[in-house]
Amino acid sequence: MSLYSFGTDPISCHAWNQDRTQVAISPNNNLVQIYQRSDNEWKKIHELTEHNGRVTGIDWAPTSNRLVTCAADRNAYVWSLRDGAWKPTLVLLRINRAATCVKWSPRENKLAVGSGSKIISVCYFEKENDWWLSKHIKKSIGSTILSLAWHPNNVLLAAGSSDFQCRVFSGYVKEIDDKPSPTHWGTKIPFGELLFQSGEKGGWVHGVAFSPSGRYLAWVDHNSCVSVADSAEDKAVTRLSTEYLPFLSLLFVNECQLLAAGHDCAPYLFSYGGSGKLDFEAKIDVQKETTKTALSAMSHFRNLDKKGAKESERSDVTTLHQNSISQLSIVDGDPSDVTAFSSTGIDGALVIWSLKA
């Protein structure tokens, strides 16, 4: 476990490059900052300033080394490193509300952007005009898209939204995709086809994730539930109601285990053993020692700001993160056997966790 602090500003999203020597973060504003690891420290080497609204999503394509960012300014940019500088290319999203999340497809030839327009923009590069075009998925979406995840086959796309639903759509783009093979999620999959929908009147769906094989789809929502759908079992849904605060992000660490984290400030491990068998395994955290030390006035108020607390409140947070965790990402290992992962939070910290026994 390694803890790194990037200041008191919340980290709203982050993404790693291929060899995990660089990380891109957004300190909850319109900037994207890229840091280079040097020994046990991080040095800022680039700052991307094209957005004029709060950055809501970052994804880094490992093979092509391209960054994609989206923001509340209703724009998304694909960034390429040329001559030591990151150059942006505008993505034509055609939306009239904020962009809320973005994900590269596994083959890095498409990207998906969720928005407050009740739309998912599936974007691809058109060489003839040298720009990124978008096609819209609108079917059945009743509110803002909060999270996205691509299926390993590069075609299916899962989306969680604030209408309490988790859905799976077809993101097949005939201009660039090979004809996909049938899956348990569906056989006929023209662009925009709705293949799965599930949800309760319990809360916004904050995070979605496919298992490494694509058989399982997991999601977390604001009613503190973790849910898993099994496509091979007629898309049967297993739901586990937890006693914890709502989760905001989740990540499969192998085919049958997943991590979830959010407002409880720590990652939690769950295991799925088939229909009806979704269990809590462990809380992954290092208890922080509480030591009483004399603080300067500046340090005292900085700590209050970091925790979002009032001076009259007594809140000793014993978890490593001192505020909600906003995102989980893979750091080491194959998606089918993750050995290390990272978390970023509202406390401005990045933590790298080891899953090795």
Side-chain angles (χ1 to χ4, degrees), residues 12-13 32 51 54-59 68-71 99-102:
S12 53
C13 46
V32 175
H51 287 290
R54 187 177 74 90
V55 174
T56 54
I58 306 172
D59 203 14
V68 62
T69 60
C70 69
T100 53
C101 49
V102 63

Side-chain angles (χ1 to χ4, degrees), residues 125-161:
F125 188 69
E126 190 178 66
K127 293 182 180 179
E128 290 79 8
N129 294 307
D130 193 32
W131 58 16
W132 288 84
L133 290 178
S134 65
K135 301 180 76 171
H136 285 170
I137 297 175
K138 303 177 182 179
K139 192 173 184 178
S140 301
I141 300 173
S143 193
T144 300
I145 300 296
L146 299 177
S147 52
L148 293 168
W150 285 96
H151 189 278
N153 71 356
N154 204 66
V155 172
L156 304 185
L157 180 64
S161 65

Side-chain angles (χ1 to χ4, degrees), residues 103-303:
K103 288 291 180 183
W104 281 109
S105 68
R107 294 179 190 168
E108 302 175 13
N109 62 342
K110 296 182 293 187
L111 57 95
V113 181
S115 72
S117 302
K118 308 178 188 178
I119 285 172
I120 302 171
S121 299
V122 177
C123 312
Y124 62 98
F125 188 69
E126 190 178 66
K127 293 182 180 179
E128 290 79 8
N129 294 307
D130 193 32
W131 58 16
W132 288 84
L133 290 178
S134 65
K135 301 180 76 171
H136 285 170
I137 297 175
K138 303 177 182 179
K139 192 173 184 178
S140 301
I141 300 173
S143 193
T144 300
I145 300 296
L146 299 177
S147 52
L148 293 168
W150 285 96
H151 189 278
N153 71 356
N154 204 66
V155 172
L156 304 185
L157 180 64
S161 65
S162 57
D163 61 2
F164 312 150
Q165 299 295 310
C166 178
R167 300 178 176 89
V168 175
F169 295 99
S170 168
Y172 172 65
V173 178
K174 64 180 180 180
E175 287 85 353
I176 58 172
D177 285 327
D178 297 328
K179 189 173 182 179
S181 303
T183 71
H184 290 298
W185 294 103
T187 52
K188 295 182 179 180
I189 46 179
F191 179 82
E193 184 73 11
L194 177 62
L195 304 172
F196 171 79
Q197 178 172 325
S198 179
E200 287 187 339
K201 293 183 179 180
W204 297 357
V205 179
H206 291 296
V208 293
F210 278 108
S211 65
S213 71
R215 172 176 171 174
Y216 306 125
L217 171 67
W219 66 93
V220 291
D221 40 24
H222 206 73
N223 60 0
S224 300
C225 284
V226 180
S227 304
V228 177
D230 186 347
S231 63
E233 296 291 336
D234 199 27
K235 304 173 187 173
V237 176
T238 301
R239 184 172 284 107
L240 176 65
S241 181
T242 73
E243 61 183 8
Y244 310 113
L245 295 177
F247 301 114
L248 298 175
S249 180
L250 81 163
L251 177 73
F252 271 95
V253 295
N254 54 50
E255 187 63 20
C256 297
Q257 288 185 308
L258 57 102
L259 290 162
H263 292 298
D264 246 343
C265 310
Y268 292 85
L269 182 67
F270 298 88
S271 63
Y272 180 73
S275 184
K277 300 177 182 177
L278 179 59
D279 301 302
F280 167 71
E281 289 287 326
K283 178 181 179 179
I284 301 177
D285 196 40
V286 178
Q287 292 297 315
K288 203 165 188 179
E289 296 182 3
T290 55
T291 57
K292 292 185 177 180
T293 56
L295 295 176
S296 67
M298 181 179 291
S299 298
H300 173 69
F301 287 109
R302 184 183 291 119
N303 287 339

